[in-house]
Amino acid sequence: MAAPGESGTSSCGDSMEEAFQTFYSEVKQIEKRDAVLTSKDQIERLTRSGSSYFNLNPFEVLQLDPEVTDEEIKKRFRQLSILVHPDKNQDEVKRAQRAFEAVDKAYKLLLDQEQKEMALNVVKMGKQYVENAMKEQKKQLKKEGKPTDVAEDDPELFQQAVYKQTMKLFADLEIERKGQEAKEMYERKRQREEEIKAEQVKREREWRKIFEESRDDRVESWRIFQANTKGKKEKKNRTFLRPPKVKMEQRE
């Protein structure tokens, strides 16, 4: 009997596997029809469900061999950009725009030699991973005295396995990049908050310093004010107590 949660996990994995198999099959069908490129096919390929991860591989976006030349990249870009350009697909402008952006991004990435080399290394790693897995599987089968034939001996299944592994590697790198980006954004925010706090502390210290330095002046001003006020009160009191002048009577 399966452990709690095991069935759900297996079901989810099976669903993802089925979705991948369907996507891979449809992509390969489109590639077979590549001689007669259509805008609808390419827009569908580049914008369908899961395309945000499938499109991480620039070679797949442009449907080019990893060992492609710059001239071939430019030629392919011109073909695809015309096919999926929003101006040429007024009936589905939003999807066409997304497809065009994917093509444009892949094109620019592959023209950057450093970025192209990184993408090429990922593709090579995907292939190497599958080859190593096949070797280990064959080694284990031989050890068990069983035939050493594996599914990936079929060229089509081998390419499918490489495609799948390569896509996973690109996805892992993208997740890592987004995680690093979020971490850097958080760090920038934290630093900014600390800077604001430090500025507030600095202004408060400066204000206290000015306040303390002006203490003697304030005390002296208060004393003068008090003295002046006292003098005015005394003068007013003296004036109030002064007897009235006697008016002399005039005699006839």
Side-chain angles (χ1 to χ4, degrees):
M1 186 174 180
E6 185 174 317
S7 178
T9 303
S10 177
S11 177
C12 179
D14 290 343
S15 297
M16 291 180 65
E17 182 67 23
E18 289 174 5
F20 171 78
Q21 295 293 350
T22 301
F23 176 82
Y24 181 84
S25 177
E26 292 180 1
V27 167
K28 292 308 172 184
Q29 288 177 13
I30 290 174
E31 289 178 347
K32 289 178 180 178
R33 298 196 301 268
D34 200 32
V36 186
L37 291 172
T38 67
S39 297
K40 184 177 180 180
D41 288 337
Q42 292 300 333
I43 291 174
E44 172 63 22
R45 179 178 70 87
L46 295 166
T47 62
R48 61 166 294 138
S49 178
S51 60
S52 59
Y53 280 102
F54 291 123
N55 292 346
L56 292 174
N57 185 342
F59 299 109
E60 286 294 334
V61 171
L62 299 181
Q63 296 177 311
L64 291 170
D65 185 84
E67 302 297 337
V68 70
T69 65
D70 287 352
E71 190 58 38
E72 290 172 317
I73 293 172
K74 293 175 182 178
K75 181 180 179 180
R76 185 61 171 169
F77 170 71
R78 286 193 294 269
Q79 290 176 332
L80 284 178
S81 62
I82 291 173
L83 281 172
V84 303
H85 199 285
D87 292 346
K88 302 289 185 181
N89 298 276
Q90 291 296 317
D91 56 329
E92 47 183 349
V93 175
K94 290 184 178 180
R95 292 185 70 200
Q97 181 63 35
R98 286 171 53 200
F100 180 81
E101 288 172 358
V103 170
D104 186 60
K105 181 179 179 181
Y107 170 67
K108 290 177 179 177
L109 189 149
L110 291 181
L111 282 189
D112 183 316
Q113 294 306 312
E114 184 177 347
Q115 293 293 322
K116 180 182 178 182
E117 188 64 28
M118 288 177 62
L120 187 59
N121 286 337
V122 174
V123 173
K124 289 178 178 178
M125 286 173 61
K127 184 178 181 181
Q128 185 176 10
Y129 179 93
V130 173
E131 290 175 341
N132 289 340
M134 288 175 65
K135 288 179 182 179
E136 288 299 318
Q137 192 176 357
K138 286 175 177 290
K139 183 178 179 180
Q140 183 61 32
L141 289 171
K142 184 177 181 180
K143 184 177 179 180
E144 296 173 358
K146 298 178 181 179
T148 58
D149 296 331
V150 295
E152 288 75 13
D153 286 333
D154 183 307
E156 182 66 21
L157 293 178
F158 175 78
Q159 290 300 325
Q160 187 177 123
V162 171
Y163 181 94
K164 181 179 179 179
Q165 184 59 37
T166 301
M167 184 187 72
K168 184 179 183 303
L169 290 174
F170 273 108
D172 289 344
L173 287 173
E174 179 65 6
I175 291 171
E176 183 180 344
R177 184 192 68 80
K178 287 184 177 180
Q180 184 63 29
E181 190 177 77
K183 183 178 179 181
E184 291 174 356
M185 185 179 296
Y186 171 80
E187 185 63 22
R188 287 196 297 270
K189 182 181 178 182
R190 187 187 65 79
Q191 289 180 356
R192 181 54 184 158
E193 289 174 348
E194 289 184 352
E195 289 173 1
I196 293 173
K197 186 176 180 180
E199 285 293 325
Q200 291 174 340
V201 171
K202 181 181 178 182
R203 285 196 295 269
E204 185 175 344
R205 285 177 179 172
E206 290 176 348
W207 183 85
R208 287 184 178 278
K209 181 180 179 182
I210 294 172
F211 183 83
E212 292 297 329
E213 289 176 347
S214 62
R215 181 187 295 276
D216 293 342
D217 292 338
R218 291 197 309 277
V219 171
E220 184 63 24
S221 297
W222 177 250
R223 287 174 179 170
I224 293 173
F225 173 77
Q226 289 288 77
N228 290 340
T229 302
K230 184 178 180 180
K232 289 179 181 179
K233 286 182 178 180
E234 291 177 351
K235 184 176 180 181
K236 184 176 181 181
N237 290 335
R238 286 197 301 271
T239 302
F240 180 76
L241 296 173
R242 185 181 299 168
K245 290 182 179 181
V246 179
K247 222 174 185 184
M248 298 295 293
E249 293 185 0
Q250 292 183 355
R251 294 183 179 181
E252 295 182 357

